[in-house]
């Protein structure tokens, strides 16, 4: 699930213990891997927008064994559904970037619930975060709020900031009406649509 909201501005790292337990009112089900069928609490929060279950299942079928041992970056993490699915399927680490402090705190709680010590949460504006010192990611999930023009600048920042491994994969989810502008060395690998969403998976070619 992702959140449909304004751009982010905080840069502090979130901590589950800092603000106590966050009250949740919904459930997120992990669909595959070591944590399969585990259900995690999610917030009933204005603007949270779920990645459709069919799209999520399709995406991870596309990725197959590519996740094992990979460094994953989940931008605009929302409930963290894509990041948690990656941890379940063998990713070596997942960094969740989420501006909203309450939403980020619940991701942190769920990391502890799963015992997933290879997950970390950064409470930050995504573009601000991408402008900081980078570390290589093998897989990036980019699902920004719709109709705010964030997909293209985030794609540019990922490429310009040396965030991506030579053979990185980048998942971009946008409103169906948008054809995102991506760097020339990103090759479209798979594409699907569901409801108002368009989901595209790109393969990066070294420049």
């Amino acid at each position: 699930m992702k959140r449909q909201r304004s751009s982010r501005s905080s840069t502090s790292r979130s901590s589950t213990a800092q603000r106590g337990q966050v009250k949740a009112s919904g459930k997120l089900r992990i669909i595959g891997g070591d944590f399969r069928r585990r259900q995690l609490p999610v917030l009933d929060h204005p603007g949270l927008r779920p990645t459709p279950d069919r799209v999520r299942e399709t995406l991870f079928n596309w990725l197959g064994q590519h996740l094992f041992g990979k460094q994953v970056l989940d931008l605009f993490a929302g409930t963290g559904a894509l990041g948690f699915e990656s941890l379940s399927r063998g990713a070596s680490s997942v960094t969740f970037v989420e501006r909203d402090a309450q939403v980020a705190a619940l991701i942190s709680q769920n990391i502890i619930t799963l015992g997933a010590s290879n997950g970390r949460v950064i409470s930050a504006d995504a573009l601000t975060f991408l402008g900081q010192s980078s570390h290589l990611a093998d897989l990036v999930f980019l699902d920004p709020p719709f109709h705010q023009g964030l997909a293209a600048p985030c794609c540019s920042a990922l490429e310009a900031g040396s965030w991506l491994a030579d053979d990185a994969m980048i998942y971009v989810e946008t409103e169906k009406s948008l054809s995102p502008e991506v760097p020339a060395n990103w090759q479209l690998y798979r594409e699907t649509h569901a409801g108002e969403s368009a989901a595209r998976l790109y393969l990066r070619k070294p420049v």
Side-chain angles (χ1 to χ4, degrees), residues 10 21-22 41 44 83 135 138 146 151 158 160 165-167 176:
S10 171
Q21 296 296 301
V22 177
D44 181 11
H135 64 273
D138 301 297
F146 286 178
L158 282 166
D166 285 348
D167 58 351
K176 187 184 292 186

Side-chain angles (χ1 to χ4, degrees), residues 6-189:
S6 60
S7 60
R8 302 177 167 107
S9 59
S10 171
T11 57
S12 61
R13 180 170 177 175
S14 71
S15 168
T16 306
Q18 285 177 345
R19 296 178 178 84
Q21 296 296 301
V22 177
K23 187 175 181 180
S25 60
K27 292 289 184 181
L28 163 70
R29 182 177 64 89
I30 298 176
I31 59 179
D34 293 342
F35 304 136
R36 185 180 181 184
R37 297 192 180 93
R38 293 285 298 272
Q39 294 193 26
L40 300 172
V42 298
L43 290 175
D44 181 11
H45 199 289
L48 278 177
R49 169 178 55 80
T51 295
D53 286 352
R54 180 176 68 80
V55 172
R56 186 156 49 110
E57 187 167 5
T58 297
L59 167 62
F60 285 94
N61 285 338
W62 290 345
L63 292 171
Q65 300 302 312
H66 291 294
L67 278 164
F68 189 78
K70 300 300 185 182
Q71 308 279 340
V72 178
L73 176 60
D74 188 1
L75 293 167
F76 303 96
T79 61
L82 300 179
F84 285 126
E85 201 72 50
S86 299
L87 289 171
S88 182
R89 296 169 187 252
S92 64
S93 71
V94 176
T95 299
F96 300 84
V97 180
E98 170 56 51
R99 175 184 178 269
D100 187 284
Q102 268 199 317
V103 176
L106 187 54
I107 296 174
S108 293
Q109 287 180 203
N110 286 335
I111 288 171
I112 292 172
T113 297
L114 292 174
S117 60
N118 51 342
R120 67 168 182 157
V121 183
I122 305 293
S123 183
D125 173 90
L127 278 170
T128 300
F129 174 77
L130 291 176
Q132 299 170 356
S133 58
S134 61
H135 64 273
L136 284 182
D138 301 297
L139 172 64
V140 177
F141 298 121
L142 176 58
D143 183 4
F146 286 178
H147 308 296
Q148 294 187 27
L150 292 170
C154 284
C155 290
S156 295
L158 282 166
E159 184 65 38
S162 301
W163 282 96
L164 303 173
D166 285 348
D167 58 351
M169 306 181 82
I170 309 97
Y171 170 78
V172 182
E173 185 175 334
T174 66
E175 57 270 36
K176 187 184 292 186
S177 60
L178 180 67
S179 296
E181 182 179 342
V182 302
N185 59 317
W186 293 14
Q187 177 183 341
L188 183 63
Y189 175 64

